[in-house]
Amino acid sequence: MAESRQDGMNYAPQGKPAPVVRPGEFVIAAAALDHGHIYGMVNGLTEAGATLKWVYDPDPVKVSQFREKFPEARWAASLEEVLADPEVRLVAAAAVPSERCALGLQVMDAGKDYFTDKAPFTSLQQLESARRKAAATGRKYAVYYSERIHVEAAVFAGQLVQQGAIGRVLQVTGFGPHRLNAAARPEWFFRKQNYGGILCDIGSHQIEQFLYFTGNRDAKVLHSKVANYNHPQYPELEDYGDATLLGDNGSTHYFRVDWFTPDGLGTWGDGRTFILGTEGTIELRKYIDVARSPQGNHVFLVNGDGEQHFEVSGKVGYPYFGELILDCLHRTENAMTQEHAFKAAELCLQAQEMALRVAAEQEV
C-alpha cells in the first residue's frame, strides 16, 4: 500500500534504505493488520535492514493486500506458527487498539520483542500489565509514535534541539488535525471501548513529542477536554480533544487534536508543532505548507543567528528504525527508552480519563 496523502490511516512513508544489519540477521514478522500504519512500520524496519519472514492475520483479504506490497512475507497459518519460529526476533503489529496489549504480552512471553502501532493501550490496567511483563521477560514493548519518528521535519527538529539551537525548551504546542474519511473506517474505529478516545489515540503522538523535545521524564495533566461536536451519527466518536500538561522540569505543553480536516486540503492533516526555547523558536509544518507548497517537512528556525527555513524531505531519514533493530540485538535503549514509551502512553490515558466532556451545543 503506497503512502496516501489524503488518508492518514494509510500514511506509510518510504525512505531511502539505510540497513544496519545484513540480510537475515534480524528477522521480523507482521501480524494484526487492522490499521494501515502496519505498512509504515514494516517499511521503516525493512529499509533499516530487517528481513520480513512472516505475515499473519485472520482476514485473508488483509493478508493478500499486504503481500502485494511485501511479497517476501510468507503467509502464516496462525499466530502460533509465527511465535514458534526461533528466527523471528520482533513482531510488528497494528491490532485494534484495545487488543494491542494482549497481543504484546503473548509476543513477549514467546521471547520476542513487540512493536505496536500507537496508541499502545486503551486502559491504565493494560499499561501496568505491560510494565510488569517487560520487567519479567526483558523484552521490548516498542511503540510507533509515527508523527515524530516517521516525519523528517520532527527528526530534524530533535537534532536542532539537541544541538542547543534554541536553548532550553520551555513550551511545546502541537496541532494534530486528521481527515475523518468515515466511509473507509472499520466499525471498531467508532467504538470508544476499542479506540480508547481521541486523547488516548491521536493525542498520544503529541504527548510523546512534548516529552521528547523538552527532555521530560514525567509530567502532570493539568486539564483536558473532549467533544463530539459534529458527528451525532457516531455517538461514541470524539471528534475534538485538547489538553495542557506541566513537565517535571517546568516546561509546558498544549495540544489540540481533531477530525475536522477539510476536503480541500491537499493532505490528510495540517500537522504542526511549535517549540519555544530560551534562545529561539522552531516551527514544523509536517505534511504541507498550506497554499504555498504541497510538500511537507518544512522546518522554520529563528534564533540569534537569524531566520532559517529548511526543507528536509529526503535529507534526514528515519534513524529510529535502525536504532530499534540494534537495540533489540544489543539490548540497549538508543531508539527510545521503554519508560519513555510507557510514560507517553500513561499521560495520554490520564488525559483521556480526566477529560471534561463538552456538549455539542453549550448554553450561553
Side-chain angles (χ1 to χ4, degrees):
M1 184 173 296
E3 175 182 336
S4 171
R5 286 184 53 77
Q6 297 298 323
D7 180 6
M9 186 169 182
N10 295 314
Y11 178 70
Q14 291 183 304
K16 298 176 182 177
V20 298
V21 288
R22 296 184 297 273
E25 191 176 352
F26 188 80
V27 176
I28 66 170
L33 313 180
D34 295 287
H35 198 293
H37 282 170
I38 190 65
Y39 290 86
M41 298 163 71
V42 174
N43 277 346
L45 289 167
T46 54
E47 287 164 4
T51 299
L52 176 61
K53 184 174 180 179
W54 295 105
V55 58
Y56 171 72
D57 190 277
D59 184 344
V61 174
K62 288 190 178 76
V63 175
S64 295
Q65 291 174 342
F66 184 86
R67 293 184 73 241
E68 288 178 12
K69 170 66 177 175
F70 300 104
E72 70 271 28
R74 302 183 202 173
W75 192 331
S78 66
L79 179 64
E80 287 68 29
E81 183 175 10
V82 172
L83 298 183
D85 186 343
E87 287 190 346
V88 174
R89 293 178 176 267
L90 177 144
V91 176
V96 173
S98 58
E99 300 170 5
R100 288 170 184 168
C101 179
L103 175 58
L105 303 185
Q106 193 175 355
V107 169
M108 296 162 82
D109 273 335
K112 304 180 190 309
D113 293 314
Y114 180 55
F115 183 35
T116 179
D117 189 18
K118 66 76 217 160
F121 312 104
T122 54
S123 74
L124 289 166
Q125 292 75 19
Q126 291 176 0
L127 167 62
E128 288 311 308
S129 66
R131 275 196 165 118
R132 290 193 298 269
K133 187 65 70 176
T137 64
R139 296 293 100 191
K140 294 183 182 296
Y141 195 112
V143 183
Y144 182 59
Y145 291 114
S146 58
E147 290 188 23
R148 181 177 66 81
I149 65 174
H150 224 167
V151 174
E152 286 181 287
V155 174
F156 185 64
Q159 295 170 353
L160 290 175
V161 168
Q162 290 165 9
Q163 292 163 11
I166 60 170
R168 178 166 61 94
V169 175
L170 305 176
Q171 205 274 343
V172 176
T173 303
F175 298 102
H178 286 59
R179 177 170 285 127
L180 183 59
N181 197 14
R185 299 284 177 177
E187 289 186 10
W188 62 258
F189 177 86
F190 300 100
R191 293 195 295 261
K192 190 169 181 182
Q193 181 179 356
N194 290 141
Y195 79 89
I198 193 169
L199 300 179
C200 168
D201 180 19
I202 53 180
S204 62
H205 288 297
Q206 303 298 325
I207 292 177
E208 189 279 329
Q209 290 173 98
F210 164 64
L211 295 176
Y212 176 77
F213 288 129
T214 60
N216 270 297
R217 298 180 61 134
D218 203 353
K220 179 180 180 181
V221 180
L222 300 180
H223 177 76
S224 58
K225 55 185 179 289
V226 298
N228 182 336
Y229 280 126
N230 201 44
H231 296 88
Q233 69 273 40
Y234 305 114
E236 294 187 47
L237 176 70
E238 294 168 352
D239 57 23
Y240 176 90
D242 65 30
T244 303
L245 286 79
L246 173 64
D248 272 5
N249 65 10
S251 57
T252 65
H253 181 40
Y254 169 80
F255 73 86
R256 185 202 79 214
V257 287
D258 65 75
W259 293 102
F260 287 110
T261 292
D263 290 342
L265 187 73
T267 187
W268 54 268
D270 183 17
R272 299 197 185 195
T273 304
F274 299 82
I275 308 171
L276 170 66
T278 54
E279 299 173 22
T281 61
I282 296 172
E283 179 190 347
L284 310 183
R285 301 180 191 176
K286 293 182 176 180
Y287 311 114
I288 194 170
D289 191 5
V290 175
R292 288 155 52 94
S293 169
Q295 303 304 315
N297 290 302
H298 296 268
V299 179
F300 297 86
L301 169 66
V302 183
N303 60 13
D305 296 329
E307 308 166 4
Q308 296 181 77
H309 173 205
F310 303 92
E311 297 182 54
V312 298
S313 285
K315 300 175 183 177
V316 179
Y318 309 112
Y320 170 87
F321 300 94
E323 291 171 351
L324 176 61
I325 289 172
L326 295 176
D327 282 345
C328 292
L329 289 172
H330 305 309
R331 313 318 295 171
T332 50
E333 289 194 312
N334 295 314
M336 182 185 298
T337 69
Q338 185 65 81
E339 185 49 36
H340 177 91
F342 282 160
K343 181 57 67 174
E346 178 183 347
L347 290 168
C348 76
L349 289 165
Q350 290 174 348
Q352 186 69 53
E353 196 172 78
M354 66 182 283
L356 171 70
R357 177 84 181 192
V358 180
E361 295 183 9
Q362 296 281 81
E363 291 185 9
V364 179

